[in-house]
Amino acid sequence: MKQYDYLIVGAGLFGAVFAHEARKAGKRCLVIEQRSHVGGNIYCDNVEGINVHKYGAHIFHTSNKEVWDYVNSLVPFNRFTNSPMACYKGELYNLPFNMNTFNRLWGVKTPAEAQAKIAEQRAEYSSIAEPANLEEQALTLCGKDIYERFIKGYTEKQWGRLATELPPFIIKRIPFRFTYDNNYFNDDFQGVPIGGYNKLIDALLAGVEVLLDTDYFADRDKWNGMADKMLFTGCIDQYFDYRFGRLSYRSLRFDTKQLAEENFQGAAVINYTEREVPYTRVIEHKHFESTPSPITVVTYEYPDDYEDGKVPYYPVNDARNSEIYAKYKELAAADESVLFGGRLAQYTYADMDDTVEAALALWSKIKE
Ligand code: FAD
Ligand code: UDP
């Protein structure tokens, strides 16, 4: 018998939920994490009482009651509702695209007026039957005014490519509604943990042995020998020594500043949608939890090319990468001693609720 039942590579949300369930079931788990903290990308730094979302703004939203109850049983969540603003050439507009946005754009007041205006804008692109790229998708969905002000510049800087070179599905994620409702998400439940995401991760990992600053690849043989089974939540291409090639990613750079003022921008998130402004978003962290403080902390988020040594944030799910990933997935399925989970091992963009759901589902499958 080996020293542990499970070696879990990665102390992000996926690894932490799995470890929590396995520990509750009496399994001996060891978690190894290459960073000097647990939590993966949901980790928060605490700056003078303000929880700073170190790897980008994180808002938990879900319609899955089981997942919502699960996370709330570990730490209470507040009722934060994401209602970001878009800044285009110095003018502010509400997001997601709703009656407030349409009123500011065109002066329309009723849903019927807004729908007529959008229908008129879309009509120009009615010859596009099957959108072949993101630009065509956006133009056929929203028309030129919205596309040019809010989508084209933001998307091109975010992805480092022209909108005509990007797949259409990226834009399908943005809600579009004809009510005066600035809630960015359509889900039933939404909030952030009171006291920050570290409380959630710490509750999940309570009683679990964790080694920080420990890269699995620095000594694979040693770690492979430690446990009967492994859960791997790192990059799947690296696990298989890049034998089918490297998967592409988009990275981010965060520039965080502490400011000696109480309220810098009056919102947690402001998107900068024109191409000329180099950052995509400015986050003012205290607004997630309405933290009282005479100072504030803001983060400028810059899209960045990915290379070794940087954090792989967004998978680039185009045809080439999907093909490569399919080959790795096949190898992974054939390897019975290792489970693969999380956004890096599954090369997917997964929200936190998807991540919790997937980790719970994996554990239930094993239990059976
Ligand atoms: P990760 O958090 O990446 O954890 C994987 C862990 O494994 C990391 O800690 C990593 O260091 C470690 N690791 C990797 N390789 C090794 C190795 N070789 N050895 C040891 N350790 C290793 N979701 C939402 O629901 N709402 C949001 O508002 C939201 N905002 C987001 C904003 C941004 C900018 C990004 C990038 C994502 C956002 N998400 C959001 C998604 C959310 O971050 C993910 O759902 C979640 O973090 C996925 O957890 P994970 O465990 O799969 O991955
Ligand atoms: N997007 C955009 N303008 C915006 C916000 C988003 O064009 O003001 C596009 C952009 O292509 C982005 C995608 O919508 O990559 C998804 O945005 P979302 O805010 O859901 O993604 P996040 O980056 O927070 O994961």
Side-chain angles (χ1 to χ4, degrees), residues 19 73 81 92 94 96 101 123 133 144 155 183 186-187 193 227 229 261 264 278 290 308 315 327 330 344 348:
S73 73
T81 300
L92 286 167
N94 289 106
T101 331
N133 55 57
K144 192 163 156 230
T155 298
N183 183 350
N186 286 324
D187 283 318
K229 198 136 184 154
E261 61 184 293
F264 173 69
S290 306
D308 277 351
K327 293 187 195 165
E330 215 173 291
L344 298 169
T348 182

Side-chain angles (χ1 to χ4, degrees), residues 220-238:
R220 282 182 89 145
D221 291 340
K222 171 177 157 191
W223 301 117
N224 289 346
M226 292 287 248
D228 293 336
K229 198 136 184 154
M230 170 160 73
L231 166 67
F232 181 77
T233 74
C235 293
I236 193 165
D237 55 352
Q238 188 178 10

Side-chain angles (χ1 to χ4, degrees), residues 45-52 258 291-295 297:
D45 271 334
N46 191 286
V47 179
E48 301 206 17
I50 299 170
N51 288 308
V52 173
Q258 187 173 322
T291 311
S293 170
I295 62 120
V297 180

Side-chain angles (χ1 to χ4, degrees), residues 18 24 58 121 153 262 264 305:
F18 187 93
K24 270 197 311 197
H58 277 76
Q121 294 252 322
E262 200 182 332
F264 173 69
D305 292 330

Side-chain angles (χ1 to χ4, degrees), residues 5 38 135 212 240 252 262:
D5 296 307
V38 293
E135 176 162 299
L212 297 176
F240 290 113
L252 297 169
E262 200 182 332

